[in-house]
Amino acid sequence: MKLLTKTFRYYLIISIPIFILTSIGFYFLLRYVMIQQVDESLKEDKAEILSFIENDKDDVNELYKNITCSYYLKKLEGNFVLNDRYGFVYEYDYADQEQERYREYHTFAIINGENYEMVLQESFVETDSMIYSITGFSIFLFGLLTLGISFVYLVVSRNIWNPFYELLKLIKMFQPGMNIENYNLKSDIQEFTSLYIAFNMMAIRTNEDFDRQKKFIDNISHELQTPLAVASTQLELLIQKVMFDEKSAGIISELDSTFEKIKNINKSLLLLSQIKNRQFTDSEVIDIKRIVNRYIESHKEEIDIKEISILLKLHSTLKPKMNFALAEILIGNLLKNAIIHNNVGGEIVIETNDSVLTVKNSGDYLSKDKEQMVKNYIGTSKNSEQRGIGLSLVRQICDYYKIDFTYRIIGKIHVCKVKFHNDH
Amino acid sequence: MKVLVIEDELDLLNNILDYLSGENFVCEGVSDYQLAEEKIYLKEYDCYVIDIMLGEDNGLKLIELIKEEQRDGGIIIISAKTSLKDKLAGLEIGSDDYLAKPFHLSELNARIKAILRRRVNKGSNILEFNEIKIDLAAEEVFVDQTKLDLTVKEYQLLYYFIINKNKVLRKQSIVDHLWPDEYSFNSYDFIYTHLTNLRKKLSNANCKDYIKTIYGIGYKLVDE
């Protein structure tokens, strides 16, 4: 989860309940206070009225000036006392032509020695609307506050964090050998600048190591070319000049094939180094079907000599993105093996679907040879560092492009599956 | 016909000159830049074989020099650099061919001869060996007047033998000639089959069997 999302989520989890509870609490508090206020006013009005009655005043206008309620008195029969009671009632207001709410004070008074029920009413309509307005306004304020802080989180924070995300993008993109001197971190936040400086230093170190390693492998490989060239040409000259007997010819022949092995190892080493140095970065969409067909065309003679029948089930949907030369090497090697390690009159089946190229071929082998062949093809160790230079090219290319390569022998059929990622 | 080989690794240079000494062209070799310059100024050669990694890329300068002096001999670059990019770059600066080290001397021989032939009779494209005649333009082979029906590989094989006549050809060099871009194509069985078929077709046309098997090592086309 993103940092801003998480912190914002926590913020919401805490602030929204607070907001809601506060709003509700505020409403009830305000209502309570207002009601208390009105009730107090009604009590005072009762005192005013009673005082007015007891003092036997004449001018009711005087009274009406001092009270805000309306009231009536009802003589009580008998000698019983009423308790004070407050409540809300609805009365029909002729002026506004609707039911309106009133606060009512039911009480008891003794006037001139007689028991009266006294009811005082005050319109609560204005108070109600005041409560609602104040509450509404405060909700609005709280809402504004929440929105404001959310804004800070989502927009302002994003701007503040932007340099960090830019830096993160750079780090993800970084490959050994990449030049990042031109990148400038636009931020005055200490933590970000420190991070950038640390990353920069690490990148410089990585690049230096990478360069050194690249030169080292390149050098070794090229250094080997020359003595190899000298030695193998010496051998070539030697066989022109001397007639060898059977035994010596055998030795010469082994010498020759040893040179070839060294040449191949050197070639593989060079190719591996070139792949790792990203000298094969040109990628294009590869038409696997075409490469397969071309290979079969150019090796028709050998296929016919061995009387191998080839069954093609090629869909045009397999179009991975990779370097063309490497694709050719990969497919060439797979098909070459299918031809060479095959019986006379054998079969090859080549299929493609969306992402997998499968090459199956028949092959008759004694189990000892089978083991050796699998070893030669795949390599003897699971750990790629340990396998060193003796890798087959197929394995190298598959590792580079993270292509899934499996080779199984089922009965007498060799099945090689190469799974491409279509989204390189 | 004169060929100039420019290679700074002396042992390799000597091997090249030794191998080519029996051929019907004159071969000179130099191993440093100074001498190479002199030779280019003083003489005209039909073919230049240049190591492009001479010292530090001086090989390129020599090629420029050859162009400046308007020598129209063919240029073969030999180089330890084997990538496609390098090959294309080499061809772009004006070379006619590019051979990666380590190469077979027999292959170098074939490339030199291909260039020389283009310079000789600018129309002639016939390669003859006793009763065998190869029409290089049409890619057809005749024994006396009979046309042989050879497959592509059989044709290439015969051509390679005739070009390198009287030289022992190792099996590997034949493989590398017939399948130039294969990695570790170690099957000599196909060579054997192609050769057998070729021999059969030749003998069916009453051609003498010039191809000798050198036990354990390779084959040789012998001019009797």
Side-chain angles (χ1 to χ4, degrees), chain A residues 284-324:
Chain A
E284 50 186 271
V285 176
I286 309 285
D287 187 349
I288 301 283
K289 190 168 158 183
R290 241 181 33 163
I291 297 183
V292 171
N293 281 327
R294 252 224 311 258
Y295 188 92
I296 293 175
E297 244 333 286
S298 61
H299 292 79
K300 249 178 105 32
E301 284 187 48
E302 287 72 45
I303 293 170
D304 289 342
I305 285 173
K306 265 188 128 164
E307 289 171 30
I308 292 174
S309 55
I310 300 192
L311 180 59
L312 296 175
K313 295 188 203 162
L314 303 174
H315 299 281
S316 298
T317 50
L318 184 56
K319 292 213 158 102
K321 199 158 174 262
M322 60 193 283
N323 178 278
F324 185 75

Side-chain angles (χ1 to χ4, degrees), chain A residues 268-282:
Chain A
S268 291
L269 179 66
L270 194 60
L271 196 68
L272 180 63
S273 141
Q274 284 170 346
I275 290 176
K276 286 211 169 139
N277 291 339
R278 287 148 213 294
Q279 281 173 254
F280 287 106
T281 43
D282 304 333

Side-chain angles (χ1 to χ4, degrees), chain A residues 210-225 266 269-275 277 279, chain B residues 53 80-81 86:
Chain A
F210 181 71
D211 269 341
R212 238 179 289 138
Q213 201 187 41
K214 175 174 159 181
K215 289 203 179 90
F216 180 68
I217 293 180
D218 263 349
N219 278 342
I220 285 193
S221 180
H222 286 130
E223 291 298 308
L224 272 176
Q225 306 273 40
N266 198 34
L269 179 66
L270 194 60
L271 196 68
L272 180 63
S273 141
Q274 284 170 346
I275 290 176
N277 291 339
Q279 281 173 254
Chain B
M53 303 289 290
K81 292 192 175 169
D86 298 308

Side-chain angles (χ1 to χ4, degrees), chain A residues 112-167:
Chain A
N112 299 333
E114 295 190 316
N115 294 347
Y116 284 88
E117 182 189 0
M118 191 171 177
V119 176
L120 299 94
Q121 282 179 344
E122 183 156 341
S123 169
F124 207 71
V125 168
E126 278 172 23
T127 317
D128 261 341
S129 55
M130 187 160 58
I131 294 176
Y132 292 140
S133 325
I134 294 180
T135 308
F137 186 67
S138 69
I139 289 179
F140 171 72
L141 278 181
F142 290 144
L144 205 60
L145 188 66
T146 308
L147 277 175
I149 297 184
S150 304
F151 178 76
V152 168
Y153 263 106
L154 296 179
V155 177
V156 175
S157 286
R158 200 158 282 169
N159 282 333
I160 296 176
W161 279 91
N162 222 16
F164 174 79
Y165 286 116
E166 290 291 317
L167 183 59

Side-chain angles (χ1 to χ4, degrees), chain A residues 353-369:
Chain A
N353 63 21
D354 275 349
S355 59
V356 183
L357 166 69
T358 311
V359 178
K360 299 187 198 155
N361 63 279
S362 52
D364 246 353
Y365 294 95
L366 306 171
S367 53
K368 196 170 50 162
D369 285 348

Side-chain angles (χ1 to χ4, degrees), chain A residues 166-291:
Chain A
E166 290 291 317
L167 183 59
L168 195 59
K169 224 195 303 182
L170 180 69
I171 294 177
K172 274 193 207 167
M173 241 184 13
F174 178 74
Q175 303 279 18
M178 193 185 275
N179 184 346
I180 56 164
E181 280 165 8
N182 294 331
Y183 181 81
N184 273 319
L185 185 77
K186 299 186 200 72
S187 176
D188 54 356
I189 298 176
Q190 222 177 353
E191 285 87 351
F192 292 169
T193 356
S194 306
L195 180 63
Y196 171 63
I197 291 173
F199 166 64
N200 208 15
M201 288 183 45
M202 194 180 75
I204 291 174
R205 272 202 307 271
T206 306
N207 282 344
E208 279 170 7
D209 277 345
F210 181 71
D211 269 341
R212 238 179 289 138
Q213 201 187 41
K214 175 174 159 181
K215 289 203 179 90
F216 180 68
I217 293 180
D218 263 349
N219 278 342
I220 285 193
S221 180
H222 286 130
E223 291 298 308
L224 272 176
Q225 306 273 40
T226 305
L228 256 183
V230 170
S232 65
T233 49
Q234 306 275 39
L235 187 63
E236 201 170 350
L237 278 175
L238 183 65
I239 62 179
Q240 310 299 328
K241 299 179 193 286
V242 181
M243 286 301 294
F244 295 99
D245 62 20
E246 220 173 277
K247 268 220 180 89
S248 311
I251 297 175
I252 296 292
S253 171
E254 276 193 41
L255 191 57
D256 197 14
S257 54
T258 305
F259 277 134
E260 287 310 311
K261 280 200 193 118
I262 299 176
K263 280 188 198 174
N264 285 332
I265 291 174
N266 198 34
K267 241 187 205 168
S268 291
L269 179 66
L270 194 60
L271 196 68
L272 180 63
S273 141
Q274 284 170 346
I275 290 176
K276 286 211 169 139
N277 291 339
R278 287 148 213 294
Q279 281 173 254
F280 287 106
T281 43
D282 304 333
S283 277
E284 50 186 271
V285 176
I286 309 285
D287 187 349
I288 301 283
K289 190 168 158 183
R290 241 181 33 163
I291 297 183

